[in-house]
Amino acid sequence: MARPIADYFPGILERAAQMASFQNLINDCGTAARRKEMIMTARMGDLITRDECRLLIEAYGLETA
């Protein structure tokens, strides 16, 4: 029988919940520039990884913001 994915990746459920909360904060920002600023601030504070930062910027279409 297969084990739950959380057994293979400890902390993954907590991290997913953190990212969902962070995305809600990003969605509440009014402008694209403010969204990108929030993402970059989180990256500088080591709240998200470089890869997560890049993926969020691409997902929100903020490459040029």
Side-chain angles (χ1 to χ4, degrees), residues 1 3-4 8 22-23 28-29 36 44 48 51 55 59 62:
M1 180 180 281
R3 293 181 7 206
Y8 296 100
F22 184 61
Q23 283 182 298
D28 288 342
C29 291
K36 187 170 185 177
M44 288 187 285
I48 59 175
D51 289 335
L55 289 171
L62 302 174

Side-chain angles (χ1 to χ4, degrees), residues 9-65:
F9 301 99
I12 195 168
L13 298 177
E14 293 83 4
R15 187 63 180 157
Q18 288 173 344
M19 287 304 292
S21 294
F22 184 61
Q23 283 182 298
N24 286 337
L25 289 173
I26 293 170
N27 290 335
D28 288 342
C29 291
T31 65
R34 180 68 183 116
R35 286 179 176 162
K36 187 170 185 177
E37 179 184 347
M38 181 174 278
I39 293 169
M40 297 306 292
T41 300
R43 174 63 194 124
M44 288 187 285
D46 288 331
L47 299 175
I48 59 175
T49 66
R50 183 182 329 128
D51 289 335
E52 290 168 337
C53 179
R54 181 181 49 79
L55 289 171
L56 285 168
I57 288 173
E58 288 176 9
Y60 283 95
L62 302 174
E63 293 90 356
T64 59

